[in-house]
Amino acid sequence: MTDAPATADFRHEALLYRGDREFVEQIAPFVIDGIANGEPTLVMVSGPKIEALRDHIGAGDGLVQYRDMEVVGGNPARIIPAWDAFAVSWAQRGVARMRGVGEPIWPGRAAVHVDECHWHEALINTAFAQVQGFWLVCPYDAAGLDPGIVLEARTTHPLITHSGSPNSNQPHGTPVGFVVPTAPLASPLAEPDDVIAAMTFEARTLSELRALVGAVGARARLSPGRLDDLVLAVSEVATNSITHGGGRGVARIWMDGGDVVCEVSDRGVINDPLVDRQQPGADPSKPRGLWTANQLCDLVQLRSSRETGSVVRLLVHAPLRSVMPPEARQS
């Protein structure tokens, strides 16, 4: 990585490293340099990497915050709000420059989560395009990740660094918005292998939908708390469908390995790709169902187009897979 640019534009950089040792060798100097410049830094990586960095960096004069990415970014849609809260907090204190280190993709992460992480990385360029003074570095383990994942990082980051040498993906001066999302809102989601329950819903049948989700979740042995989270998330998204998607929608439920997946679709069209990552304000008339769902679920996938309408998939991890008997299935 090179010194901070003379201008204070948002800088989104992918750092390709190989193994834990090189991670520390590349990231620690970046954080230490930020401390020397009085620039607050938020580091969101795995717990073991946090400890390794702390051994090299020390207290950081109170300018370094650490958060476990496997917790914050378990659902990738929660990462942008975390960066936004960090940037807003320091900007309100009059800080003009700040740094971030975020590693949303690690070896072994489930493919469906990786896909949403690529979408997240692309959306960052839109979310922070007007935020000056923010330098965000996203490490990618080139030794441990599939080469296709590393290749994908080149489409979502305006700057790529490997072994300390930056390689811009664009001519100097071109706006960051050049990045083409790799999983745009219009991209299709894979069809499930086996839908175990489905129903068409409207306002008067919302209670039936909640009961159906509750029954499936109970059979999947979700804990009471996680079951309540899933039922509430589905209810919030279904209410959005009724209010903004034509008054009705279709819900489908299935198991994906050890996960319970509930899908809500309608004929509405969502044009703002950041709608599910923006914390609602005090106005109760503003939609908040997608935000709520992201706070409750382990993964939320949002797709929308004029041709297909809108689809929201809500996933919650279940401890054991439970097969629902055929007589319990609904359509």
Side-chain angles (χ1 to χ4, degrees), residues 27-252:
I27 294 298
F30 173 72
V31 178
I32 291 170
D33 184 61
I35 296 170
N37 292 328
E39 299 173 7
T41 302
L42 174 59
V43 179
M44 295 201 293
V45 296
S46 68
K49 287 178 178 174
I50 288 174
E51 294 308 312
L53 286 174
R54 277 188 173 138
D55 288 343
H56 282 72
I57 295 168
D61 293 335
L63 291 173
V64 183
Q65 303 173 34
Y66 296 96
R67 297 186 68 184
D68 190 333
M69 179 61 90
E70 294 185 23
V71 176
V72 177
N75 176 355
R78 297 180 193 154
I79 304 174
I80 285 177
W83 289 128
D84 185 58
F86 165 74
V88 169
S89 172
W90 284 103
Q92 288 176 341
R93 298 184 225 181
V95 173
R97 304 184 69 89
M98 60 202 75
R99 300 186 181 203
V101 178
E103 187 171 23
I105 302 178
W106 51 83
R109 185 151 210 199
V112 66
H113 285 77
V114 170
D115 288 344
E116 293 307 304
C117 285
H118 288 313
W119 177 226
H120 150 77
E121 290 278 46
L123 286 177
I124 280 181
N125 298 303
T126 299
F128 296 100
Q130 304 305 316
V131 179
Q132 293 190 319
F134 186 18
W135 185 358
L136 176 58
V137 172
C138 303
Y140 282 77
D141 186 352
L145 294 171
D146 184 279
I149 293 176
V150 178
L151 183 62
E152 211 54 35
R154 296 182 179 276
T155 73
T156 56
H157 295 78
L159 197 69
I160 306 294
T161 298
H162 182 53
S163 298
S165 299
N167 176 24
S168 177
N169 280 342
Q170 58 179 343
H172 179 70
T174 303
V176 169
F178 88 100
V179 177
V180 177
T182 56
L185 278 177
S187 67
L189 293 169
E191 278 296 303
D193 293 331
D194 185 22
V195 175
I196 59 178
M199 66 172 285
T200 300
F201 64 86
E202 52 192 27
R204 64 181 180 84
T205 58
L206 264 181
S207 60
E208 295 177 28
L209 174 59
R210 288 191 287 265
L212 177 61
V213 174
V216 175
R219 291 178 185 274
R221 302 186 185 181
L222 291 178
S223 68
R226 294 305 284 145
L227 181 56
D228 288 346
D229 288 344
L230 180 59
V231 171
L232 176 57
V234 172
S235 181
E236 287 285 331
V237 174
T239 299
N240 270 6
S241 292
I242 293 167
T243 305
H244 305 286
R248 59 192 294 132
V250 176
R252 301 192 298 169

Side-chain angles (χ1 to χ4, degrees), residues 285-328:
S285 67
K286 298 296 184 182
R288 59 189 64 230
L290 291 173
W291 170 269
T292 300
N294 271 316
Q295 310 317 303
L296 297 171
C297 297
D298 296 307
L299 183 70
V300 176
Q301 294 176 282
L302 170 65
R303 301 292 187 271
S304 186
S305 71
R306 294 189 179 279
E307 292 71 29
T308 63
S310 295
V311 177
V312 182
R313 285 188 182 174
L314 313 169
L315 179 151
V316 170
H317 298 313
L320 294 172
R321 178 167 184 166
S322 177
V323 178
M324 178 174 285
E327 62 270 18

